[in-house]
Amino acid sequence: MATARPLLPLLLLAAGRLRAAERSGGGGGSSSAMEELATEKEAEESHRQDSVSLLTFILLLTLTILTIWLFKHRRVRFLHETGLAMIYGLIVGVILRYGTPSTSGHDKPFSCSQEDRPFTTLLVNVSGKFFEYTLKGEISPGKIHNVEQNDMLRKVTFDPEVFFNILLPPIIFHAGYSLKKRHFFRNLGSILAYAFLGTAVSCFIIGNLMYGVVKLMKLVGQLSDKFYYTDCLLFGAIISATDPVTVLAIFNELHADVDLYALLFGESVLNDAVAIVLSSSIVAYQPTGENTHAFDAAAFFKSVGVFLGIFSGSFMMGAVTGVVTALVTKFTKLHCFPLLETALFFLMSWSTFLLAEACGFTGVVAVLFCGITQAHYTYNNLSVESRSRTKQLFEVLHFLAENFIFSYMGLALFTFQKHIFSPVFIIGAFIAIFLGRAAHIYPLSFLLNLGRRHKISWNFQHMMMFSGLRGAMAFALAIRDTATYSHQMMFSTTLLIVFFTVWIVGGGTTPMLSWLNIRVGVDPDQDPPPTNDSFQVLQGDGPDSERRNRTKQESAWLFRLWYSFDHNYLKPILTHSGPPLTTTLPSWCGLVAHCLTSPQVYDNQEQLREEDSDFILNDGDLTVTYGDTTITANGSSGPHTATTSLDGRRTKSSSEEALERDLGAADHEVTTRGTRLVFPLEDNA
């Protein structure tokens, strides 16, 4: 894109020709009146075309919704709603491209040889009147006469910033706000490995393979312009953004294995954030010297620093915004006005994205972690009505925005004016994506299984390999910059890859589940059967106790370290739940503890909890009790602090009560509990 100049007006010398041509048409007064009338008609026609273009997308979404209902009614699973939206977009694109006549024929090139670079805004003097023109992009000399002459096609071609600033925020926020934290945090270590290390591996493998493809294209004479190594890495970052929306929807409908769902969903959510920051880091790679595309160690480490800085800064901005919203909703009476409460929640969440972009960070990362923070803290402070409203509001916005983007993808195949399709590049991209996905799923799974109690089985790995669909994020990243030859080729190829993965791979999800013998019809709260665990519960208090004990063993150690601090300090400060700060802070902090602790904490004996927060116990909480001695799962022993009532019932200790309340296991009455016997199992290997 061109940069703005301090003096924007540029008076074209050729305007005199236009003035002479207009004067030949008649007198000055009548000509001016006719010009004003023509201008009004053009403005009215432009307004009508704007309305028609928006109506087109609304009708596309309406048709998609009705077809989705029909598919759900008939239990059709071979095509997802996003695939339907793309098909309808393709049909409308064909109609607009070949069924509507050209309506604009006023484009005329002028030469400004004395200027060394383009202006972002031009003020053109035509017969004493000034008209403003804005820069849309560069056009190659060979296509100067192929500029789009159809006003309708121009209207339905959106500014790429519309996708980033309007359509992406609700999609990303909903992913964080609706996160099922129990299974997510139980697999947190694996998800982080796939999202961060896996995305980086995939990016560099795809980038290097595509650089070889570009060299091959140059040898066979199919490369007509420059295509640098950094462009190949950028393509690797863009196409590494997975979006298995089709697979996850089918998983949710069939109630597929919850751990597999958590791995795929968690990877795709964080993977989008990593991909966009990685692409920004690659763009920031600027070696010193004459060859700006050669490898430079200083520039490389600078890009790594940019990646870490942007990601951490965006993460902090999203978390801080969520914390501020939680404090506002806690210490005000907004819950008495649910409409105001919901409006503030909505605006604070959306502004996170724009604030991060305005500060030079990445809005996708910021709004994702804002959604996770809002769900963890702010949600507990909202009124019952606002909880329902916010969940439904962002669910609807997510649905409409996602289907709008996929409809536009189908439309863009025919309305985008700068497509460059290269068969060699397209075939090479498909091969590179397959190899890049395999190179990070299988090796990382092998390494992760070395430390996991519940291994990521081969059929899970094959399903994750198969589910590497590309979607809205890859499309949005690719369309954001289509100014150069290489970026135009990358965008066209990305569009075809999204089509293929959504239609072919998404449609084959159900048969693949059956072929790989992956469990379906699973209760989301049901845990997988025991295999080679280090410990086994031989006697307990029933299914709920067994599930909690298994969760203790499987929770990611990183989250177990974080939980104690969050439960004892952050939750009481930011929400109306958790233990009172007067019991967790030192005695000399009594005044601060009383000020920050919500009165509801003292009023309610049963703490507020989240529906899916039963993932927070540690291995050390597995115990066997003999009289006054408690033996933990790790072999340590100590005095047992629980007491026994006169009728023989055992009274729980305060720490145990807090943990069970968070698990949703504490009852209003003390119930009889059996002894939990925990024994180490011998390895069969």
Side-chain angles (χ1 to χ4, degrees):
M1 296 293 292
T3 56
R5 298 285 292 274
L7 183 62
L8 294 179
L10 176 66
L11 305 181
L12 299 179
L13 298 178
R17 306 176 190 172
L18 297 176
R19 188 184 305 116
E22 291 183 0
R23 286 177 178 174
S24 63
S30 60
S31 175
S32 177
M34 293 295 292
E35 289 176 1
E36 291 180 359
L37 182 61
T39 302
E40 291 178 358
K41 287 185 176 180
E42 288 183 0
E44 183 178 353
E45 179 67 17
S46 177
H47 173 72
R48 186 186 66 84
Q49 291 176 350
D50 288 335
S51 301
V52 171
S53 64
L54 292 177
L55 178 63
T56 300
F57 286 103
I58 291 177
L59 291 178
L60 277 174
L61 292 176
T62 304
L63 187 60
T64 301
I65 291 173
L66 293 176
T67 312
I68 291 170
W69 168 82
L70 181 62
F71 275 33
K72 288 184 179 294
H73 181 67
R74 300 292 183 182
R75 298 184 182 275
V76 177
R77 296 193 181 97
F78 67 87
L79 188 61
H80 187 248
E81 58 200 45
T82 54
L84 282 172
M86 294 170 68
I87 291 176
Y88 289 140
L90 282 171
I91 295 173
V92 174
V94 171
I95 294 174
L96 292 177
R97 167 60 68 181
Y98 302 108
T100 56
S102 298
T103 55
S104 175
H106 307 293
D107 295 334
K108 184 176 181 180
F110 293 98
S111 298
C112 301
S113 57
Q114 67 270 29
E115 298 298 330
D116 57 350
R117 56 179 177 175
F119 294 87
T120 56
T121 305
L122 293 179
L123 295 181
V124 182
N125 184 356
V126 180
S127 302
K129 295 182 179 180
F130 290 89
F131 298 89
E132 182 181 5
Y133 296 85
T134 57
L135 178 68
K136 293 191 65 176
E138 182 182 0
I139 301 174
S140 60
K143 297 184 178 181
I144 192 67
H145 299 293
N146 296 329
V147 177
E148 184 59 64
Q149 298 295 319
N150 192 321
D151 286 342
M152 191 61 201
L153 289 180
R154 286 180 172 179
K155 293 292 184 182
V156 297
T157 304
F158 286 95
D159 188 335
E161 295 303 315
V162 171
F163 293 97
F164 264 80
N165 296 330
I166 298 178
L167 298 178
L168 275 185
I171 295 176
I172 303 300
F173 181 86
H174 179 263
Y177 193 53
S178 62
L179 188 69
K180 296 297 182 182
K181 292 184 289 299
R182 178 187 172 216
H183 299 289
F184 178 85
F185 285 109
R186 190 167 70 181
N187 297 279
L188 181 62
S190 301
I191 291 172
L192 291 177
Y194 286 128
F196 283 86
L197 187 57
T199 304
V201 169
S202 175
C203 168
F204 283 100
I205 288 179
I206 293 175
N208 283 279
L209 291 176
M210 293 311 298
Y211 188 62
V213 172
V214 168
K215 289 294 185 181
L216 177 62
M217 292 173 61
K218 189 174 182 180
L219 287 176
V220 298
Q222 292 194 10
L223 197 66
S224 58
D225 209 336
K226 296 178 181 179
F227 208 120
Y228 297 108
Y229 177 68
T230 51
D231 295 326
C232 295
L233 287 179
L234 179 62
F235 178 72
I238 290 173
I239 212 64
S240 293
T242 60
D243 185 17
V245 58
T246 304
V247 176
L248 293 176
I250 295 175
F251 278 14
N252 190 51
E253 184 177 352
L254 296 177
H255 299 290
D257 189 283
V258 288
D259 283 330
L260 177 60
Y261 183 94
L263 288 172
L264 275 175
F265 180 79
E267 182 206 4
S268 66
V269 168
L270 295 180
N271 164 275
D272 288 346
V274 174
I276 191 172
V277 179
L278 197 58
S279 63
S280 300
S281 304
I282 294 172
V283 171
Y285 177 79
Q286 295 178 346
T288 57
E290 297 182 358
N291 189 357
T292 58
H293 294 276
F295 177 78
D296 188 313
F300 172 77
F301 286 109
K302 180 183 177 181
S303 296
V304 174
V306 168
F307 175 86
L308 297 176
I310 291 179
F311 195 93
S312 58
S314 303
F315 165 77
M316 290 299 300
M317 186 165 292
V320 167
T321 306
V323 167
V324 170
T325 310
L327 291 172
V328 171
T329 54
K330 177 182 177 180
F331 292 104
T332 62
K333 297 291 184 179
L334 273 175
H335 63 272
C336 300
F337 306 95
L339 179 61
L340 300 180
E341 191 177 38
T342 304
L344 178 67
F345 184 94
F346 174 80
L347 293 177
M348 290 292 289
S349 303
W350 201 306
S351 63
T352 304
F353 183 93
L354 301 177
L355 179 63
E357 292 288 335
C359 294
F361 296 111
T362 299
V364 170
V365 179
V367 79
L368 170 65
F369 287 101
C370 176
I372 295 175
T373 307
Q374 300 275 47
H376 192 56
Y377 298 115
T378 311
Y379 184 81
N380 291 325
N381 301 335
L382 299 178
S383 62
V384 176
E385 188 174 353
S386 294
R387 291 183 185 183
S388 175
R389 282 181 176 179
T390 54
K391 285 282 188 182
Q392 294 175 0
L393 173 63
F394 281 101
E395 186 176 5
V396 171
L397 290 176
H398 162 264
F399 173 82
L400 293 177
E402 190 169 60
N403 282 279
F404 184 94
I405 290 180
F406 278 94
S407 297
Y408 187 79
M409 287 185 198
L411 204 67
L413 188 63
F414 293 96
T415 60
F416 186 70
Q417 305 170 30
K418 304 172 184 178
H419 277 306
I420 299 177
F421 295 103
S422 171
V424 177
F425 191 86
I426 293 170
I427 295 173
F430 274 99
I431 297 174
I433 289 171
F434 178 83
L435 296 177
R437 183 73 178 170
H440 95 259
I441 290 294
Y442 295 114
L444 279 181
S445 298
F446 171 78
L447 295 176
L448 291 170
N449 280 338
L450 298 178
R452 285 178 61 100
R453 290 189 175 92
H454 277 286
K455 311 301 182 184
I456 304 174
S457 60
W458 280 107
N459 56 349
F460 277 24
Q461 296 178 41
H462 296 329
M463 194 67 214
M464 293 180 69
M465 171 70 191
F466 179 81
S467 303
L469 281 75
R470 270 61 178 178
M473 180 57 68
F475 173 80
L477 287 173
I479 200 176
R480 198 173 193 182
D481 182 7
T482 56
T484 63
Y485 168 84
S486 59
H487 289 190
Q488 292 165 11
M489 184 182 294
M490 290 190 297
F491 171 71
S492 302
T493 305
T494 300
L495 203 57
L496 293 182
I497 291 172
V498 172
F499 286 162
F500 178 84
T501 56
V502 170
W503 287 338
I504 306 301
V505 178
T509 300
T510 304
M512 184 63 69
L513 283 172
S514 176
W515 185 63
L516 293 175
N517 295 320
I518 294 176
R519 298 188 308 160
V520 295
V522 179
D523 183 354
D525 292 326
Q526 177 185 347
D527 288 302
T531 52
N532 293 324
D533 295 337
S534 298
F535 300 96
Q536 180 180 4
V537 178
L538 299 183
Q539 180 182 349
D541 302 325
D544 292 338
S545 175
E546 183 174 352
R547 177 169 62 85
R548 293 196 304 272
N549 292 332
R550 190 176 305 284
T551 302
K552 298 174 186 180
Q553 303 171 40
E554 296 167 350
S555 298
W557 66 270
L558 183 63
F559 181 77
R560 295 202 301 262
L561 293 176
W562 156 259
Y563 167 72
S564 178
F565 176 76
D566 176 63
H567 176 76
N568 293 327
Y569 302 105
L570 293 184
K571 273 289 185 71
I573 292 175
L574 301 177
T575 70
H576 300 301
S577 61
L581 288 173
T582 52
T583 63
T584 58
L585 289 177
S587 58
W588 54 269
C589 298
L591 180 61
V592 176
H594 279 289
C595 294
L596 295 179
T597 302
S598 173
Q600 286 89 328
V601 174
Y602 300 104
D603 296 339
N604 300 327
Q605 295 298 322
E606 182 179 1
Q607 302 294 329
L608 298 175
R609 71 173 189 88
E610 298 170 74
E611 295 179 356
D612 52 359
S613 60
D614 51 348
F615 45 72
I616 49 181
L617 298 183
N618 303 307
D619 287 344
D621 297 320
L622 291 172
T623 61
V624 56
T625 303
Y626 297 102
D628 294 332
T629 304
T630 299
I631 302 177
T632 63
N634 56 17
S636 62
S637 63
H640 186 53
T641 58
T643 61
T644 304
S645 61
L646 294 177
D647 58 356
R649 294 182 298 178
R650 176 178 169 275
T651 305
K652 297 185 284 283
S653 64
S654 59
S655 60
E656 186 178 0
E657 276 186 331
L659 291 172
E660 291 199 353
R661 277 196 301 267
D662 281 332
L663 289 170
D667 299 323
H668 294 289
E669 297 180 356
V670 180
T671 59
T672 303
R673 302 185 57 193
T675 303
R676 294 181 292 179
L677 300 179
V678 184
F679 295 96
L681 297 180
E682 296 181 359
D683 293 335
N684 297 325

